[in-house]
Amino acid sequence: MHIKSIGQGPDLVLVHGWSMHSGVWSPLLELLSEHFRCHLVDLPGHGQSEWHEGDFELKRLLDNLSLALPQEAIWLGWSLGGMVALAMTHNYPEKVKKLILLASNPCFVQTDDWPCAMAAEVFNNFSASLAEDQQLTLQRFIMLQAKGANQPRQVIKQLSEQLAQQHEPEPEALKAGLKCLAEWDLRDTLASVNCPTQMILAENDHLIPVSLAEYVQKLQPKLRIDVMPGLGHAPFISQPQQCQLVIEQFIHE
């Protein structure tokens, strides 16, 4: 697994979301690397990480991350990356000093008792479109991430540029990532997490509804929740300085 480290200070692990790679953090990285030793993970089959069948099996993924990353660090995960970081707190609690879930849901697809997520029909249609035309589906996903942002064109431009800078993700890795989003249910993990945890939501996110705040607060009363107004699914691209401020306030509490 490819991991790039940059900056000086306390260890901070950053895990990107579905279909992207660690380069997506660049607007935020310029700010965070001044105060932290940032470890940028490319998930299997994304960016510069190779793909092998089964790499997204949760235990194997977490074991590989554990071997490659510092003994104790702050973990920051965006979207699918947030689910990975949350799962680390269960399998390797000694590894996670603090946890930051950025635009991430412990249960991504709606269930009867979890309405604050993506509708199953929408998710299934998206998965079907990936099998038909991967490139078009990735572009549609970029548009969806930018929707609701105060500067959607900027978000579309940056996400598109990042996607173009690396080889497209491995098709099997994309399918495996969607399977994770569909099947992982980490609500019990969030309820039992022991380290200080922050959830950052965006007011206009069309993938992770802001109504999630009410539900996760019941699961984990100690959770710190910050809502960023006027932003979509990638708030660290629209407003990197504002995002940095919210993150560092929590870290230094």
Side-chain angles (χ1 to χ4, degrees), residues 3 5 10-13 37-39 41 65-75 88 92 94-97:
I3 297 172
S5 300
D11 289 305
L12 174 63
V13 176
R37 179 68 172 169
C38 296
H39 305 273
V41 174
L65 287 169
S66 175
L67 289 171
L69 288 160
Q71 180 57 36
E72 185 182 52
I74 302 156
W75 281 65
M88 280 295 295
Y92 291 95
E94 73 282 359
K95 285 271 187 181
V96 187
K97 185 177 181 181

Side-chain angles (χ1 to χ4, degrees), residues 4 11 20 26 47 49 58 65 69 74 77 91 95 100 104 109 118-120 137 139 146 161 164-165 184-185 211 237:
K4 178 182 178 181
D11 289 305
M20 298 306 300
S26 57
S49 286
L58 188 55
L65 287 169
L69 288 160
I74 302 156
N91 285 44
K95 285 271 187 181
I100 303 166
S104 185
V109 179
M118 180 179 282
T137 302
Q139 286 302 318
E161 287 176 352
Q165 282 178 10
W184 288 356
D185 186 344
S211 60
I237 292 177

Side-chain angles (χ1 to χ4, degrees), residues 226-240:
D226 290 282
V227 177
M228 303 189 72
L231 300 179
H233 189 60
F236 59 95
I237 292 177
S238 299
Q239 295 290 338

Side-chain angles (χ1 to χ4, degrees), residues 45-99:
H46 295 69
Q48 298 183 57
S49 286
E50 295 181 358
W51 169 251
H52 305 96
E53 188 65 33
D55 276 351
F56 263 109
E57 178 191 340
L58 188 55
K59 185 179 185 305
R60 183 195 294 188
L61 177 60
L62 298 180
D63 288 350
N64 288 339
L65 287 169
S66 175
L67 289 171
L69 288 160
Q71 180 57 36
E72 185 182 52
I74 302 156
W75 281 65
L76 165 60
W78 171 49
S79 201
L80 174 60
M83 300 180 82
V84 173
L86 176 57
M88 280 295 295
T89 68
H90 178 75
N91 285 44
Y92 291 95
E94 73 282 359
K95 285 271 187 181
V96 187
K97 185 177 181 181
K98 289 192 173 188
L99 173 66

